[in-house]
Amino acid sequence: MNIKRFIQNFSYTLIANLLSVVISTVLILIVPKFISVENYGYWQLYIFYSSFISYMSLGLTDGAYLRYGGYEYKNLHKPVFVSQYWFLVIFNVVVNFSIAFVYGMNSTDPNKSIVVLLTCLTGILVVPRSLLTFMLQSTNRIKEYSIITILERIVYFGLVILFLLFGINKFEYLILADILGKVSSVIYACVVSKDLVFGKFESIKNLIREIGINISVGSKLLIANFASLLIIGIVRFSIENNWSVETFGKVSLTLSISNMLMLFINAVGLILFPALRRTAEDKLPDIYRLMRTIIMVPLIGILIFYYPAKVLLSSWLPQYAESFIYMALLFPMCIFESKTLMLINTYLKTLRKEKMLLIINLTTVVLSFGLAYINVFLLNDLNLSVFSITLLLAFRSIIAEIYLSKVLHIKVKRDIVLEVSMTLVFIIVSWYFEIRIALIVYFIAYILYLVLKKSDITYFIKNARNILNSQK
């Protein structure tokens, strides 16, 4: 691992993701203040649907990402990627417009029809673009990838603020701002990787062979990622189906707040994968232990910010005040999901354990179906439905890390017990106690956690430089 290159790439992703966090934070705080709860619900429904439509790649982009991770960009055989890019464009035009047409013919809610149509338009933009961004990531062109992210978010943010300033507060215009942001990022992506978009096409025979290999390799990862999305998606679909779009919007707001931290955490995973692919396998356990300490110790402490956040948000958005209690149930999900996204998934992909990743995610999806059916349709309990999101993500993270620890021959059970214990303490005191008492109790618990983690923190301080320098 080239430390100078790693730090340089991290600085690019840091800027891009800090910007994304700032923009997301501002939009989360500003937009609900100026639009109705119903319009906010439809806007969140679009964001929710868009997270699914981006998987219309058949696994092709995921396969290319896995196969070419660690390559130099100049060594890529460009005609293969030009052909695959335009294959994805044509495929997504046909599939997405078919979905929009069929849904529009059968829908009784015109607002949802608009949401679905604009979601399908988004799919046509983001799926072919994902081939370009994945190849930029896998070949370590992190700077260009970061600019694509920055450009999309700035255009999106600027247009949303502009619309709100002029009193345009319908959800359709918020979605239009997002689409225009994606259009600008697609144009830039095509410019910086133009030799993957414009140029000589591969022969039909070789193209079919390459697509087949990529889909074969990437389908497991695609399904695993799709299953990962379904873990929360099934619960959210059930909430949207059983309660109103306003309730869906309120729950989505608390989810968005809880997810903000993961935008930054996921940045490290983006640069860690190509770096780990170039790292000797015998060094991976030491790096894992090091990165785990870097991530988990601060994350456990960050939960403290829930208490002032709840007070400030309830004052700023009183129409959503009743929904902020759910943050006590959802905030801890960042502990498990961040570790899964940044460390566990990255390592499983590096070690080419996509099949196990798929099995773990599918198992959690089955559990999600079961809990959604019980909590939503049998008990009709929104509190349990929301809590099940954190429960499912914790289950997935624990099972995956126990498996990974056996592969790497490291011990993590003590750390898992500590993290689950801290999560339970946070949820119990935040749900049942007055906010000042809850803050004091959790702060004391965190001090005890740091004492118990003293040896790991000391190991990190003493060995971080040696471990990283050995990767040069």
Side-chain angles (χ1 to χ4, degrees):
M1 184 190 296
N2 187 307
I3 300 305
K4 183 178 179 181
R5 184 79 175 271
F6 183 89
I7 294 173
Q8 191 178 55
N9 286 338
F10 181 74
S11 66
Y12 293 133
T13 55
L14 177 65
I15 294 171
N17 283 273
L18 277 178
L19 184 64
S20 292
V21 169
V22 170
I23 289 175
S24 296
T25 302
V26 172
L27 291 180
I28 287 169
L29 296 176
I30 296 296
V31 173
K33 187 76 173 178
F34 294 96
I35 69 174
S36 68
V37 176
E38 181 183 18
N39 272 288
Y40 185 80
Y42 282 115
W43 181 44
Q44 287 298 312
L45 201 60
Y46 161 77
I47 294 173
F48 179 48
Y49 288 168
S50 296
S51 64
F52 284 93
I53 206 73
S54 61
Y55 285 86
M56 288 285 187
S57 68
L58 303 177
L60 190 157
T61 56
D62 302 88
Y65 179 68
L66 289 171
R67 291 178 62 210
Y68 295 98
Y71 271 57
E72 293 294 331
Y73 184 83
K74 63 183 179 181
N75 295 331
L76 296 176
H77 184 53
K78 305 303 190 301
V80 167
F81 293 97
V82 172
S83 304
Q84 288 180 101
Y85 178 83
W86 290 106
F87 166 77
L88 287 173
V89 170
I90 295 169
F91 176 78
N92 276 272
V93 167
V94 173
V95 172
N96 281 292
F97 275 117
S98 298
I99 292 172
F101 177 77
V102 172
Y103 187 90
M105 293 294 292
N106 295 279
S107 175
T108 57
D109 185 339
N111 285 333
K112 279 191 180 180
S113 295
I114 293 172
V115 168
V116 171
L117 175 62
L118 294 176
T119 301
C120 290
L121 180 58
T122 296
I124 295 171
L125 295 170
V126 300
V127 176
R129 184 191 67 180
S130 68
L131 178 65
L132 307 181
T133 56
F134 274 18
M135 296 321 299
L136 290 174
Q137 288 176 47
S138 64
T139 58
N140 232 13
R141 292 182 65 186
I142 302 299
K143 178 181 177 180
E144 290 84 352
Y145 168 78
S146 300
I147 294 174
I148 291 171
T149 304
I150 291 170
L151 182 61
E152 176 183 336
R153 301 301 291 173
I154 287 178
V155 173
Y156 172 45
F157 175 75
L159 288 173
V160 168
I161 297 302
L162 193 64
F163 289 149
L164 294 179
L165 285 175
F166 283 93
I168 303 172
N169 54 11
K170 297 294 183 182
F171 73 89
E172 295 96 326
Y173 291 94
L174 299 178
I175 296 174
L176 177 63
D178 181 63
I179 291 174
L180 290 176
K182 286 179 168 56
V183 168
S184 63
S185 71
V186 168
I187 293 172
Y188 179 78
C190 289
V191 170
V192 297
S193 52
K194 57 182 179 296
D195 42 357
L196 302 183
V197 179
F198 307 106
K200 183 180 178 182
F201 284 84
E202 188 59 85
S203 68
I204 296 296
K205 180 180 178 180
N206 288 341
L207 174 61
I208 293 174
R209 177 179 173 275
E210 181 73 11
I211 289 174
I213 294 173
N214 282 340
I215 290 176
S216 176
V217 171
S219 57
K220 294 186 186 71
L221 183 58
L222 175 78
I223 298 171
N225 290 336
F226 188 71
S228 176
L229 193 62
L230 279 178
I231 293 168
I232 298 179
I234 289 167
V235 179
R236 295 184 69 186
F237 268 123
S238 301
I239 291 173
E240 191 265 330
N241 183 68
N242 198 56
W243 288 282
S244 64
V245 71
E246 289 85 357
T247 300
F248 176 83
K250 289 178 179 179
V251 173
S252 296
L253 176 60
T254 57
L255 264 174
S256 298
I257 294 169
S258 301
N259 277 326
M260 281 192 299
L261 182 64
M262 285 185 286
L263 289 174
F264 171 74
I265 292 295
N266 197 40
V268 183
L270 294 178
I271 60 172
L272 195 58
F273 174 69
L276 290 176
R277 285 296 295 270
R278 297 185 175 100
T279 300
E281 195 165 322
D282 63 318
K283 300 296 182 181
L284 293 179
D286 286 333
I287 295 176
Y288 185 89
R289 186 179 173 187
L290 181 73
M291 297 302 295
R292 198 186 193 288
T293 302
I294 293 173
I295 298 168
M296 299 311 296
V297 172
L299 273 179
I300 298 291
I302 283 173
L303 293 184
I304 292 172
F305 290 99
Y306 158 77
Y307 303 105
K310 181 187 175 186
V311 174
L312 294 172
L313 289 169
S314 297
S315 175
W316 174 250
L317 299 171
Q319 69 270 41
Y320 292 88
E322 64 184 43
S323 68
F324 291 134
I325 185 62
Y326 297 127
M327 284 173 61
L329 305 176
L330 289 173
F331 222 55
M333 71 183 242
C334 70
I335 293 175
F336 301 103
E337 191 67 346
S338 296
K339 180 171 61 175
T340 300
L341 289 174
M342 196 195 108
L343 266 184
I344 299 172
N345 284 1
T346 303
Y347 262 77
L348 289 176
K349 286 185 287 186
T350 299
L351 297 168
R352 297 306 308 271
K353 301 292 184 182
E354 301 92 21
K355 184 177 180 180
M356 181 52 64
L357 183 62
L358 172 60
I359 291 171
I360 292 169
N361 284 347
L362 287 177
T363 301
T364 313
V365 167
V366 172
L367 183 60
S368 180
F369 269 114
L371 289 177
Y373 180 75
I374 294 170
N375 295 332
V376 176
F377 300 108
L378 292 184
L379 300 179
N380 196 39
D381 192 317
L382 185 59
N383 294 340
L384 285 177
S385 300
V386 173
F387 174 65
S388 68
I389 292 174
T390 298
L391 184 65
L392 289 163
L393 295 178
F395 171 83
R396 194 254 307 259
S397 176
I398 292 168
I399 297 299
E401 188 169 28
I402 289 174
Y403 168 78
L404 183 59
S405 69
K406 293 179 180 178
V407 175
L408 295 175
H409 304 291
I410 57 176
K411 296 179 180 179
V412 296
K413 290 182 180 178
R414 175 180 174 272
D415 290 321
I416 291 174
V417 170
L418 280 174
E419 289 151 13
V420 171
S421 299
M422 289 298 295
T423 299
L424 290 175
V425 169
F426 175 83
I427 291 174
I428 291 170
V429 300
S430 302
W431 188 262
Y432 290 106
F433 290 90
E434 189 267 333
I435 196 163
R436 283 175 295 183
I437 296 175
L439 173 58
I440 293 170
V441 172
Y442 186 75
F443 181 76
I444 293 172
Y446 183 60
I447 297 299
L448 292 174
Y449 168 79
L450 291 178
V451 171
L452 292 171
K453 291 286 290 180
K454 181 181 177 181
S455 61
D456 287 332
I457 296 171
T458 302
Y459 174 85
F460 163 69
I461 294 171
K462 289 183 177 179
N463 296 282
R465 182 181 296 273
N466 292 334
I467 292 173
L468 291 177
N469 283 341
S470 68
Q471 307 309 304
K472 289 183 180 180

